[in-house]
Amino acid sequence: MSFTTISFLTFCIVFFAGHALLRGRARGYWLLLASAFFYGSWDVRFLALLVGSVFVDFFVALAVARAEGVRRKRLLLISIGFNLGVLAFFKYAGFFVASASELLTRLGVANSAPALEIVLPVGISFYTFQTLSYTVDVYRKRLPACRDLLDFALYVMFFPQLVAGPIERAERLLPQMRAVSREPWRPDLSGLALIALGLFKKIALADGVRAYTDAFSAPDRAFPAALWFATYAFAFQIYWDFSGYSDVAIGLARLLGVELMSNFRAPYAATGPSDFWRRWHISLSEWLRDYLYIPLGGNRGSALRTQRNLLLTMLLGGLWHGAAWHFVLWGAFHGLLLCAARALAERWPGWRQLAARPWLRPLQALVFFHITCLGWALFRAQTLEACFQSWHKLLLFEGLQLRPWLAHLAELQELAPVYVCLALFASAWLLQYLQPRSTKDLVVQVWGWPLLPRALAVASLAYLAMLLAPLKPPAFIYFQF
């Protein structure tokens, strides 16, 4: 049941009607039931797996809070072992078996490894990281263990962000889940504008450029110009697709009186690799920093150890995105960028002062955007061979063929009104984040307009989304992770 379907609209109408009628803990149980139904609509078999994660981490965290010494660590290992074990089996078992079999074959060793066809539970990468962070925080004594199973179940199963994040921390979301079943309902109606914006990004923009990334299907036969065009198209497709999901999730949460963290902050305005990861998929970046990079040692110790920690963190971050070597290569690419930027700053102390000059920031953003696009070519490719073929075409640029560019530009004329709207939104967002004047996001500011222009803005987004919607909207890209 995707956000872009009529069935989800029907689900929301029924859910919010019930939510408005109920009071107290009945409202919390209604939200939990709705979240279970929402997740079960994808594949009811995996609902038991989600519920199992809730029970294991709830009771393990209670035991950790009471335990002392070595027993605390052993209990923590139960949570880590369960969460990562489940994730490893469903997401990586087939990948590692196939990779080992291929390696043995290349070495000339006969083998008959079985081809494992394991269905990946939707959202498992997201809710596993969320529950794991809670147990670790209780172990570190950063927050007390939750003693109400309903509150904790809502923290894990909250349907707006259950399938594709943001990956919330218990210290932020748990108190809000308690409020849902204990305090009067105070919806923030700016969520309606965020939902409209998110659907517009997904349906009108991300799905609109989806067809222009086809060159990645056969990079060896694609013109270099067509491949560059496909690379740019995918860079914007994945941003509109994932940030669109995040906008809808945050908007739905606001209608329930819950504030989720922002997952994107003008990522293509980033001036370097560190800046990019402070702007892109922020909840995952912060999770990797706090629960992987810092425990590995962070920037404590020698420069070489810091570089190792950065590279290892990004390698595992790439693997988190999918069980395939091209995701590992994409993680290595960003890890090497982070290492190179850190080494440059350490060897040339004046670089930070130079890079901080305002007049240089647009040039840095433009250069790094193209570097980021090279990384997206690795992300979008399906195999290592396709990665190398794509980069060969992109970097060597074997001649300039204008025909593919002109053909694509002619096709894009049909979407001209949409991209005018996009340019206006992009300009507003860049102004907000490059020269911030308010702590409120742009949607909240727009919601403060008079009723007529506010209604026209939301209605226009909704109308364009419906007008340009394909008959069968594809799933959000990050559902596969």
Side-chain angles (χ1 to χ4, degrees), residues 86 95 143 180 194 200 231 262 275 279 323 331 361 389 443 457-458:
V86 167
F95 166 66
L143 77 160
V180 165
L194 258 180
F200 173 76
T231 303
S262 176
D275 191 24
R279 296 168 177 266
R361 290 180 63 83
Q389 290 171 348
V443 168
V458 175

Side-chain angles (χ1 to χ4, degrees), residues 2-5 194-210 236-248 464-465 468-470 472-479:
S2 177
F3 289 165
T4 57
T5 60
L194 258 180
I195 292 169
L197 176 61
L199 293 175
F200 173 76
K201 284 181 180 180
K202 165 61 178 170
I203 297 172
L205 299 178
D207 293 347
V209 302
R210 183 168 175 260
F236 286 100
Q237 180 200 0
I238 193 170
Y239 169 65
W240 290 327
D241 190 284
F242 195 16
S243 68
Y245 178 94
S246 296
D247 288 341
V248 176
L464 280 172
L468 296 166
K472 292 184 178 180
F476 288 89
I477 292 174
Y478 265 69
F479 280 12

